[in-house]
């Protein structure tokens, strides 16, 4: 028995739909979504993404970490090989209200977690999303400054409100400019 068992039932229902047949590896929407792993923050639901629509990376907070930059660099390089010129996609960085990374702003929580994992306390403090508008702006800036990322992409910042269900743009799309 596995906790996945009831979901494997859903998988059999999915298989029966045939929704996966003939999909291309190229995303249908020219978008690369970075957002939080919070179960309330599923872009398939709040952006209506269908299978094959877009690449999505989710982590705690939807933060632009070096690993996320590497993924965006990889996808921009790969798609850049397939499309010889013109824009590739927009990296849409979406932070949200009520983010669980906010626990990291609590010194007691942060100290305990740092002790448990050996992670650096000041790094953990920077991971907290308290003001999503502020953190998403910092993350878009970080992505745009990375020399790893193709200058044929754009990056933009958004905030998803878990109480209203609405996404609003807070940082308009911009092109990478190495710092
Ligand atoms: Zn979150």
């Amino acid at each position: 028995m596995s906790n996945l068992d009831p979901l494997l039932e859903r998988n059999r229902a999915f298989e029966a739909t045939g929704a996966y047949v003939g999909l291309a590896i190229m995303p249908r929407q020219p978008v690369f979504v970075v957002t939080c792993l919070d179960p309330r923050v599923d872009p398939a639901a709040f952006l209506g993404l269908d299978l094959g629509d877009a690449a999505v990376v989710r982590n705690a907070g939807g933060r632009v970490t070096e690993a996320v930059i590497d993924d965006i660099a990889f996808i921009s390089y790969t798609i850049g090989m397939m499309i010889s010129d013109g824009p590739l996609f927009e990296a849409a960085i979406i932070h949200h209200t009520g983010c669980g990374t906010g626990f990291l702003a609590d010194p007691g929580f942060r100290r305990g977690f740092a002790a448990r994992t050996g992670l650096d306390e000041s790094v953990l403090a920077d991971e907290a999303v308290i003001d999503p508008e502020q953190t998403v702006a910092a993350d878009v800036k970080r992505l745009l400054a990375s020399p790893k990322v193709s200058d044929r992409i754009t990056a933009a910042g958004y905030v998803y409100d878990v109480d209203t269900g609405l996404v609003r743009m807070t940082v308009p799309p911009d092109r990478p400019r190495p710092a």
Side-chain angles (χ1 to χ4, degrees):
M1 286 298 284
S2 151
N3 290 359
L4 202 66
D5 285 345
L7 303 181
L8 291 176
E9 284 295 321
R10 297 188 197 180
N11 173 253
R12 281 183 277 278
F14 165 78
E15 187 274 336
T17 67
Y20 49 87
V21 174
L23 290 179
I25 195 167
M26 191 78 88
R28 212 181 283 119
Q29 305 291 332
V31 172
F32 188 119
V33 177
V34 178
T35 195
C36 188
L37 50 67
D38 188 316
R40 300 169 298 173
V41 183
D42 185 345
F46 70 74
L47 295 179
L49 294 179
D50 284 327
L51 202 60
D53 267 350
V56 175
V57 164
R58 295 173 69 185
N59 64 22
R63 302 311 306 266
V64 174
T65 61
E66 211 53 35
V68 166
I69 291 174
D70 289 349
D71 286 339
I72 294 172
F74 172 66
I75 299 299
S76 62
Y77 183 79
T78 306
I79 296 181
M81 297 295 275
M82 299 182 199
I83 304 172
S84 57
D85 57 13
L88 298 176
F89 57 80
E90 175 186 312
I93 317 302
I94 309 175
H95 290 182
H96 72 98
T97 59
C99 188
T101 59
F103 288 121
L104 292 168
D106 177 74
F109 181 94
R110 193 168 64 235
R111 203 172 308 117
F113 183 57
R116 174 68 187 76
T117 58
L119 294 168
D120 187 86
E121 253 198 80
S122 65
V123 172
L124 290 173
D126 287 342
E127 280 177 20
V129 175
I130 305 295
D131 175 352
E133 203 165 322
Q134 185 262 316
T135 50
V136 90
D139 281 13
V140 168
K141 201 171 164 190
R142 181 172 189 202
L143 178 61
L144 291 174
S146 174
K148 293 178 181 171
V149 172
S150 168
D151 61 6
R152 291 168 60 197
I153 74 157
T154 55
Y158 303 84
V159 172
Y160 172 62
D161 187 321
V162 296
D163 295 314
T164 67
L166 279 176
V167 175
R168 64 188 172 90
M169 179 190 285
T170 57
V171 183
D174 201 359
R175 303 285 292 271
R177 266 181 231 96

